[in-house]
Amino acid sequence: MRRRTFCTAGLAALAASALPLRRVRAAGAEIGALGLDGRQLMLTAADVADLRAGLRGELLTAGDAGYDDARRLWNAAFDRKPALIARCAGAADVMRAVSFASAHGLLTSVRGGGHSLSGQSVCDGGLEIDLSPMHSVHVDPAAKLARVEPGTLIGQFDRESQAFGLATTAGTAADTGIAGLTLGGGFGRIGPKYGLTIDNLTGVEVVTADGKLLRADAHENPDLFWGLRGGGGNFGVVTSFEYRLHPVGPMLYGGEITFPFAGSRQLMRSFVDYIANAPDELCVLPEFDIDAKDGPSLAFDVCYCGPPADGERVLAPLRALGKPVSDKLGPASYVRLQGAADPVKPFPYGSYFKGGMARALTPALIDATVDFIDATPVPFGFALIGFQPLGSAANRVAPNATAFWNRHARYDMVLASFWKVPGEGAERNTEWTRAAWARLEPYTEGYYVNLGESQQDVHTHRVQTAYGDNYARLVALKKRYDPANLFRLNANIKPA
Ligand SMILES: Cc1cc2nc3c(=O)[nH]c(=O)nc-3n(C[C@H](O)[C@H](O)[C@H](O)COP(=O)(O)OP(=O)(O)OC[C@H]3O[C@@H](n4cnc5c(N)ncnc54)[C@H](O)[C@@H]3O)c2cc1C
């Protein structure tokens, strides 16, 4: 099986999290749907026709061409069937769809790039607001700013900004959506130098639960802007993001270097000493990759965002930590490094994730990780335990400067297992991830909402660990902008 570096956080849910569904497409074209309270609603043919007529984009129901593509998620564990999918062509469509959902009290999900690990961007029986048709990117090279629509994938964003030798922090897999990634925080390969994605967000346009389009930035609706930087999809549907860009590459130095699992305990300890003195230009993501057939190995995903010659010199000690089984480090364009972890599309694996923030890669955490992997082979497919660095620039921002609280964390620890869909593995691989989490959770102290734990796993107290002392302010914002909790399919901040 082809090993795949995941390079981030997450927790997926199983199809078990799906709401009980009794969707009916009744004669006379009434449509059965689920309400916010979980109760069955009937939408009249006239209401649905009115919504359809009001959209510039399409309104899809089961059986329509494009319906299955529009509800497909990266995480193949989910096969959810919305009653309606509004494929929005612009902000006006989003306003129309949100107003319709609010007026009918309709269960509503918001889909950007579809990489939600929890599957919550598609809902059974409700309205999916699909933003994927909105994917324009406008770069202003003189001002070093980019305006990006919410259906854009980070690979598309990187390509546009790199045409001018510019970039901003944005994830590690090119097919991840910029929208969900940004709203939760956003870790990426140039993060140690330039901070989280939200640290480079200069403004947004957002449709709130009352269907109004607002501007939010440092001057206009600054409270809402504060909450949107880390608060996930809780406050509305963002229709436009504006980012600050930095000169990056295009040629950098990086790639992947992999060592045998034997010796990884000592190697990880040496890595911790090495990275403690590394410059901000260097981002290294250590990841144990565990294949059901071939067993485990230890890979380092590397990006040095300064001159390639400096990168080669800075990385020499990492190379010397052991005898690699594969060394793919070298000069590479930023766009290539960002696309390196691209999966085949559609990604044919279901997955289940857990994870949390760690202040440090302590010897005890390293030992617990190596011991667990040594003793617990993954039953099917493959699994990973990775440590995504936040980076010094993110650590330097005050915890209350944005909604993203866990600024003290050095790593986001990701535990995940994958199985082929259709095929065996969902149950036993999920157990594997849960067992790994039971062993490693004590070394964490907070939660990254983009980890997207499944609804049955994420309770309010877990969401609170993402927001620490910022939580009360976020609840007040939620009461103000979404008192009915229309935007609830996320790491939900409840208004009450
Ligand atoms: C392969 C892979 C690699 C990843 N790598 C990284 C990484 O390097 N760094 C990192 O930080 N994270 C990473 N992630 C996690 C990623 O940040 C989240 O999965 C994120 O939610 C993906 O955004 P999306 O738009 O693709 O998701 P979607 O599934 O479209 O949306 C996820 C959620 O975001 C919200 N949302 C989406 N769009 C909007 C909008 N316009 N307005 C309001 N709310 C919205 C909704 O609540 C939705 O449920 C990765 C995930 C995957 C699967």
Side-chain angles (χ1 to χ4, degrees):
M1 174 169 314
R2 188 171 153 267
R3 194 185 59 70
R4 182 185 125 62
T5 304
F6 176 73
C7 304
T8 191
L11 173 149
L14 294 171
S17 68
L19 292 160
L21 176 65
R22 282 172 292 119
R23 202 166 30 81
V24 189
R25 199 172 181 187
E30 268 193 333
I31 293 206
L34 278 181
L36 281 173
D37 55 7
R39 259 183 275 159
Q40 187 88 21
L41 302 173
M42 290 308 288
L43 301 170
T44 67
D47 282 340
V48 174
D50 190 43
L51 174 61
R52 180 171 280 122
L55 295 177
R56 188 154 62 93
E58 292 172 290
L59 184 71
L60 303 178
T61 55
D64 287 342
Y67 174 83
D68 286 333
D69 281 345
R71 67 182 184 85
R72 182 176 294 125
L73 288 168
W74 174 84
N75 188 347
F78 300 106
D79 181 24
R80 292 188 172 153
K81 297 183 174 118
L84 298 170
I85 302 179
R87 299 216 354 113
C88 297
D93 282 0
V94 177
M95 292 164 76
R96 187 81 186 85
V98 168
S99 300
F100 182 86
S102 279
H104 292 272
L106 198 54
L107 185 69
T108 301
S109 70
V110 180
R111 184 181 187 276
H115 262 218
S116 161
L117 303 170
S118 63
Q120 290 183 101
S121 50
V122 174
C123 56
D124 265 321
L127 169 69
E128 174 191 329
I129 298 181
D130 179 13
L131 304 164
S132 57
M134 297 169 64
H135 51 75
S136 78
V137 178
H138 175 82
V139 177
D140 178 343
K144 294 198 179 63
L145 290 173
R147 199 169 57 244
V148 183
E149 283 193 307
T152 306
L153 308 180
I154 66 167
Q156 298 169 333
F157 179 28
D158 289 337
R159 273 180 197 281
E160 294 295 329
S161 54
Q162 279 287 276
F164 305 96
L166 298 170
T168 205
T169 311
T172 52
D175 62 345
T176 309
I178 193 76
L181 178 126
T182 301
L183 293 168
F187 312 142
R189 287 191 175 86
I190 55 175
K193 179 127 177 105
Y194 298 114
L196 303 182
T197 310
I198 48 169
D199 299 333
N200 296 288
L201 191 67
T202 54
V204 297
E205 283 171 8
V206 56
V207 176
T208 45
D210 54 7
K212 292 199 175 116
L213 181 73
L214 302 180
R215 165 90 194 167
D217 59 25
H219 308 289
E220 227 173 305
N221 299 305
D223 248 28
L224 181 57
F225 186 50
W226 174 87
L228 285 164
R229 284 175 292 163
N234 271 289
F235 304 108
V237 184
V238 174
T239 56
S240 173
F241 294 87
E242 284 165 29
Y243 300 97
R244 189 180 308 115
L245 303 173
H246 310 274
V248 172
M251 282 308 281
L252 307 178
Y253 195 90
E256 194 173 270
I257 183 165
T258 305
F259 295 92
F261 181 69
S264 60
R265 188 186 309 263
Q266 184 51 47
L267 203 143
M268 280 293 281
R269 287 175 192 223
S270 307
F271 166 75
V272 171
D273 295 338
Y274 161 76
I275 204 73
N277 299 307
D280 285 356
E281 280 76 8
L282 184 63
C283 179
V284 183
L285 191 166
E287 183 174 289
F288 289 94
D289 292 310
I290 308 138
D291 191 289
K293 285 200 197 111
D294 303 337
S297 59
L298 172 60
F300 293 92
D301 182 274
V302 174
C303 175
Y304 181 84
C305 68
D310 292 356
E312 182 160 22
R313 187 176 39 76
V314 166
L315 284 156
L318 179 71
R319 282 193 152 115
L321 289 183
K323 195 157 179 274
V325 287
S326 128
D327 180 346
K328 294 183 186 153
L329 301 183
S333 71
Y334 178 62
V335 168
R336 213 191 97 205
L337 291 176
Q338 286 287 82
D342 267 359
V344 245
K345 280 189 179 175
F347 189 53
Y349 295 96
S351 51
Y352 184 83
F353 283 74
K354 285 278 194 190
M357 307 289 221
R359 271 183 197 261
L361 280 175
T362 59
L365 171 54
I366 293 170
D367 284 350
T369 306
V370 172
D371 289 344
F372 178 82
I373 294 170
D374 207 16
T376 327
V378 64
F380 294 92
F382 58 102
L384 63 84
I385 298 182
F387 301 91
Q388 181 150 32
L390 273 69
S392 321
N395 294 142
R396 285 193 285 266
V397 176
N400 61 0
T402 64
F404 188 99
W405 173 257
N406 287 307
R407 296 284 184 169
H408 56 272
R410 302 302 295 272
Y411 290 94
D412 183 46
M413 182 173 66
V414 187
L415 321 176
S417 56
F418 301 81
W419 60 91
K420 198 80 188 261
V421 174
E424 286 182 282
E427 205 174 310
R428 288 184 52 203
N429 277 20
T430 299
E431 273 169 29
W432 183 94
T433 310
R434 289 195 167 135
W437 180 236
R439 185 77 184 81
L440 300 180
E441 184 183 7
Y443 302 97
T444 67
E445 52 178 89
Y447 166 56
Y448 177 39
V449 296
N450 278 352
L451 200 64
E453 294 191 356
S454 58
Q455 281 152 294
Q456 74 266 33
D457 283 2
V458 175
H459 303 293
T460 303
H461 72 87
R462 186 92 173 105
V463 176
Q464 282 171 353
T465 71
Y467 297 119
D469 291 355
N470 288 339
Y471 190 71
R473 186 171 167 191
L474 287 164
V475 171
L477 268 185
K478 182 76 176 174
K479 269 188 198 152
R480 183 158 155 215
Y481 287 102
D482 185 17
N485 203 7
L486 178 69
F487 304 113
R488 63 179 60 194
L489 295 179
N490 43 44
N492 197 224
I493 297 163
K494 294 192 173 45

